[in-house]
Structures are given as C-alpha cells and as structure tokens.
Amino acid sequence: MTGSTSTRFTRVLGAATLLGTLWLFLFGLFLSPDDIIQRRGVRIMYVHVPSVWLAYLAFVVTGIASVAYLWNKTRSLVWDRIAGASAEIGILFMAVTLVTGSLWGRLSWGKYWVWDARLTSTALMFVTYVGYLAVRNLGGTHQQRAKRSALVAIFAVIEIPLVHFSVERWNTLHQEESVAKGKLQDMMLFSLFSGIVTFTLLYVWLLIHRQRVLAMQDALDDRELDRALIERRAEADAAAQPATTSAGV
Amino acid sequence: MSTARVALAIAAKDLRIERRSRVMLNQVLPFSGVVMVLFAFALDKANLLSRVAPGLIWMATLFSLLVMVQRSFAVETDDRAFDALAVAGLSPTGLFLGKSLALAVQLLVLDVVLVLLAVVLYETKIHGGGRLALAAVTIVAAVSVLAGIGTLYGGLAAGSKGRDTLLPLLLLPMAAPVVIGATRSMEAAFATGGIAMREGWAWAGLLVALGVLTTVGGALGFSALIEE
C-alpha cells in the first residue's frame, strides 16, 4: 500500500468538488434572490438541504455495505470500511443538518427546535449512528468490529422508518405550526441543485479517502500485532536458550 | 437440544440466579421506586403527575432496563460463561430467546410494581375491564420489545471495554418507538391525555408488531453475533 490516499481520479474529483463549492458560494450567497417571506434566511437552505441529502445517502450506503459484508461468505473488510467511512461522513453532515436546521427554524418559526416528526427522528438517527461509531471503536479483531457494527447498522436502518412513523403519529396531537411552502424561483432551484451536486461529489471524495485511511489503519494494526508476536517469540526463545545450555552443562 | 428447550433452560438458569442473588428485589425495584419518587419532586404541580404518569412509568422502566441488561450479561461474562455456552454448541436463537424471556419476566414484575406505585403515588386510576386489558396487553408487548433489544445490545456490548456507557447510547434511541407507543396506549388505559381507547389499542397493536419484529430480528442478529 502506498503512503497516500489520493489517485488521479480523486485529485480530479477533489478539484471538481472545490469548483462546485465556489460555484455554490457564488450562487447561494450572491446570485440567487432573497425570498419574499424568509428574505436572506432562505440561503441556509442551500447548505441545509444538500447536507440532509448527503447524510441520508451516507446512511443508506452504510446499510448496504453492512448487508454486503454479512452476505458475502468471504467477510471482506472492504465493505466494513466503506460502511464505517460512510457513517462518519453521514454523522458529520447530520450534525450540519441539525445546526443549519435549527438556525433556519429560529429565523422562520422563531424557535430553534419544534417537536416535528422529521426533526425528532433526525435527532434520534444522529444519536443512533453516534452509537454505531462507538461500537466500531469497541476493540477486538477487525472481523469482530465488522460483524458487530454491521448488525447495529442494519438494526438502525430497520429502526429509522419505525421511529419516523411513531413520532409522526405521536406528533399529530401536538402539531402547532406548518411551514408555508411557496414555490421556489428558478434561480433558487438552480442554486439548490448546485448544492446537491457539489455535496454528492464531496461525499464520494471523502468516502474514497476515508475508506483508504481506514484500510491503512487496519494494515498498521496488523503489522504492529505481527511485530509484537515476533518480539514475544524472540523473548521466549532468548529465555529458553540459557536454560537448555545450563541443562546441557 | 431443541431451540425451545435451550431457551427454557437458559431462562430458568437466569431466573434461578436472580432468585438466589435477589438483585432484582434488593436493588432494581428499590431503584425504580426512588426514580418514581424523584419524578414527583421534579414535576411538583397539581394534577400534572397523574397526567404524565404513563410516560413516567416507561421512563422508570427504561432506566431499570439498563441496569437489568448489564446485570444479565455481567453474570455471563464474569467467568467467560457465555463463551462456554457458545462453544457447547447450543442454538444461538435458543440463547437469545432464553435470555430475553428471563429479562421479560423480570420486566413484567417491575412494570406491575411501577403501575401499583403510580396508583399510590400519582393517583392514577384504571376503571373497567377493557382498560385493564389494554394496560395488560401494552405491558406484555412493550416488555417483550424491550427485552429483545436489551438482550441483543447487551450481547453486543458484553465483554467489551466501556460497555456500561455504550449500552444506554445504543439502547435508548432504539427504545424511542416503544416509549411513544406504550405511553400513548397507557394514557388510554389510565384515561389521561385525551387518548381514545380505539387509538390506545392501535398503539398496542404497533407494540405487538414491534415485539414480533424484535424477536425475529434479534434471534437472527444474535446468531450472526456469536457464530465464529
């Protein structure tokens, strides 16, 4: 394995992501118009919506990779590392979603948080995947880590619709406000679309790099383990040597 | 040994350990009692306690569940007893069902005590056979779900460093639908919170479905977890 996680493809992808980010800045902050009701607050949407898209995409990939790990008889750790890398990215962007969402909520509803079904299930999902990462760090062999975390990921995927459904039913009693949904102008829609494309590129770029870093970490762990084994064997041999010599004398 | 016999043997073993050690009686039940009293201190408003009693019962159940799951797997990991059970070639599904069953029986006892405490401390009332039946179905269904996810995540975290802190993080988000469903259903049974009986039964139905899902999913997951 080389010392770098980048290849020609990731460098091109990285450059495209960078360009997309500048493009999003330009359209999101300057070229797209203010909203009639939300005014400048609408610009949060260009980060918020792509973030939530990316987070869901990442968690879906984690789920699929976890099933693929358990499904394949070879128990390939590549799937496990893709699942882990994707979950890390998902958590990061779920956090961005929650922060930008509550800021937007403060501007639009006057509150940082409402007990809306979507908000509540998003927060629970965030905590669930934080737990998933904690399971990945439990220790043990790489295969133990992979198996435990794959199970947690699959249960999380099953749990998400259940949580959403129950919170939605629960909330029908408490629903107080609804967001007036105006039609988005063309320029706003274009900026939003730019954000989604850019964030998707960013996701792929991050996933490839992070997955390779995790592979390097695993390889390093294995090498350290081998080195420790060789050292212990050498110690045992050295300890046995004088004993045999003295026994011979 | 068939799966059912393994399950019954494991459940009987766990309950026998419990009967001899009396951890449930001497520690978990007093703990949940203290939690119920502390809730009364925190929510010291007229009529508020009787209104929120169903939610408090399930919160106290969850707190106690964490303690009980840790206890249930501490007895297995202390002398690597669980490894011995796995190596003995016992059916993993049987192991899962047995541990869940023992946990469910203990949770059932706990919830009956908690409901009685709510009647005494929070002036909660259950009038009529229909409401009593709803409460009973809710408790049995919710307890089976909680025992299932408790056993699965308890097994997952067992024997690892930091399991005491990891377990709540894994378990509580998964328990969210149970807390919501069981609270609404018990609100109907207690006639608080303006929930109709029909809606209460719908929530109880959801809990039963969740119970089946957790038992099947947990058994499959547990098998994958301990097969080596």
Side-chain angles (χ1 to χ4, degrees):
Chain A
M1 185 165 292
T2 63
S4 165
T5 56
S6 72
T7 56
R8 192 183 157 80
F9 174 70
T10 57
R11 278 193 286 272
V12 171
L13 190 64
T17 309
L18 199 62
L19 271 178
T21 310
L22 292 173
W23 180 271
L24 182 62
F25 257 111
L26 188 67
F27 277 84
L29 287 181
F30 303 108
L31 296 182
S32 72
D34 285 355
D35 185 68
I36 304 164
I37 303 162
Q38 297 172 28
R39 298 173 185 266
R40 303 196 70 179
V42 74
R43 295 178 198 281
I44 293 176
M45 190 177 69
Y46 306 133
V47 176
H48 179 70
V49 176
S51 299
V52 73
W53 149 252
L54 194 159
Y56 273 95
L57 173 71
F59 291 151
V60 166
V61 170
T62 297
I64 292 170
S66 300
V67 171
Y69 167 77
L70 287 177
W71 194 268
N72 283 320
K73 292 278 177 249
T74 52
R75 296 274 194 263
S76 166
L77 284 174
V78 173
W79 290 116
D80 166 64
R81 290 191 281 259
I82 290 174
S86 194
E88 286 180 11
I89 302 165
I91 288 171
L92 176 68
F93 282 88
M94 199 51 108
V96 172
T97 304
L98 288 170
V99 171
T100 52
S102 62
L103 290 175
W104 184 84
R106 181 79 177 88
L107 288 174
S108 312
W109 304 328
K111 292 178 195 171
Y112 286 108
W113 191 265
V114 290
W115 291 98
D116 170 67
R118 233 182 312 177
L119 268 74
T120 313
S121 44
T122 303
L124 280 172
M125 204 197 303
F126 177 74
V127 180
T128 302
Y129 280 91
V130 170
Y132 169 83
L133 280 197
V135 168
R136 292 189 69 82
N137 292 324
L138 270 183
T141 64
H142 298 329
Q143 289 292 351
Q144 277 174 332
R145 171 197 72 194
K147 199 184 287 178
R148 281 179 188 150
S149 55
L151 285 172
V152 174
I154 291 167
F155 267 83
V157 168
I158 298 169
E159 195 70 12
I160 290 165
L162 289 173
V163 168
H164 192 86
F165 173 73
S166 52
V167 173
E168 209 166 26
R169 292 266 333 246
W170 162 68
N171 200 40
T172 46
L173 289 173
H174 301 251
Q175 191 78 43
E176 285 167 356
E177 51 216 316
S178 61
V179 190
K181 282 183 184 153
K183 238 177 129 58
L184 289 176
Q185 290 182 24
D186 290 348
M187 190 58 105
M188 288 179 178
L189 212 57
F190 180 75
S191 304
L192 191 62
F193 185 69
S194 306
I196 288 173
V197 172
T198 303
F199 274 53
T200 308
L201 291 176
L202 178 64
Y203 168 72
V204 177
W205 185 75
L206 283 171
L207 181 70
I208 293 172
H209 277 290
R210 188 64 193 144
Q211 190 270 126
R212 287 177 183 161
V213 170
L214 290 178
M216 284 173 164
Q217 276 175 355
D218 282 358
L220 188 66
D221 286 347
D222 291 342
R223 211 162 65 183
E224 289 292 315
L225 188 66
D226 288 345
R227 198 174 58 81
L229 280 173
I230 291 167
E231 276 178 11
R232 294 297 88 77
R233 282 202 190 109
E235 275 173 20
D237 288 347
Q241 203 68 36
T244 30
T245 319
S246 57
V249 171
Chain B
M1 239 174 145
S2 72
T3 301
R5 285 190 63 183
V6 171
L8 287 177
I10 295 288
K13 168 195 78 84
D14 274 15
L15 292 174
R16 201 176 307 125
I17 291 174
E18 176 46 46
R19 202 188 67 217
R20 288 176 186 166
S21 64
R22 307 224 164 128
V23 171
M24 171 90 184
L25 192 69
N26 293 341
Q27 293 170 22
V28 179
L29 286 179
F31 164 73
S32 60
V34 170
V35 169
M36 293 291 269
V37 172
L38 289 182
F39 279 147
F41 293 157
L43 304 166
D44 183 23
K45 290 274 186 300
N47 297 331
L48 186 59
L49 275 173
S50 62
R51 263 173 43 214
V52 296
L56 299 183
I57 287 173
W58 293 110
M59 289 313 294
T61 306
L62 273 193
F63 293 149
S64 307
L65 172 73
L66 293 172
V67 181
M68 288 158 79
V69 170
Q70 270 159 1
R71 161 81 188 153
S72 169
F73 281 92
V75 296
E76 303 293 358
T77 49
D78 273 355
D79 295 317
R80 306 199 68 179
F82 208 63
D83 290 347
L85 286 175
V87 171
L90 295 179
S91 139
T93 307
L95 283 179
F96 170 81
L97 293 176
K99 300 259 351 147
S100 304
L101 185 62
L103 203 54
V105 169
Q106 294 175 62
L107 278 169
L108 210 57
V109 173
L110 173 80
D111 275 323
V112 170
V113 172
L114 286 176
V115 170
L116 291 176
L117 273 176
V119 169
V120 175
L121 297 175
Y122 303 163
E123 295 176 37
T124 305
K125 293 179 187 76
I126 310 181
H127 290 300
R131 292 186 190 279
L132 200 61
L134 177 59
V137 171
T138 303
I139 289 175
V140 171
V143 151
S144 70
V145 186
L146 293 177
I149 53 176
T151 306
L152 182 70
Y153 286 109
L156 201 114
S160 56
K161 281 180 291 175
R163 63 173 183 267
D164 300 345
T165 42
L166 178 67
L167 192 66
L169 184 62
L170 291 174
L171 207 56
L172 295 184
M174 288 288 165
V178 187
V179 172
I180 293 172
T183 303
R184 291 295 91 87
S185 183
M186 290 293 264
E187 276 177 358
F190 290 170
T192 59
I195 306 278
M197 279 295 278
R198 195 164 44 86
E199 203 180 335
W201 278 110
W203 281 110
L206 177 75
L207 289 173
V208 171
L210 276 178
V212 173
L213 186 75
T214 315
T215 308
V216 175
L220 289 174
F222 209 70
S223 307
L225 192 69
I226 62 170
E227 61 145 27
E228 279 295 332

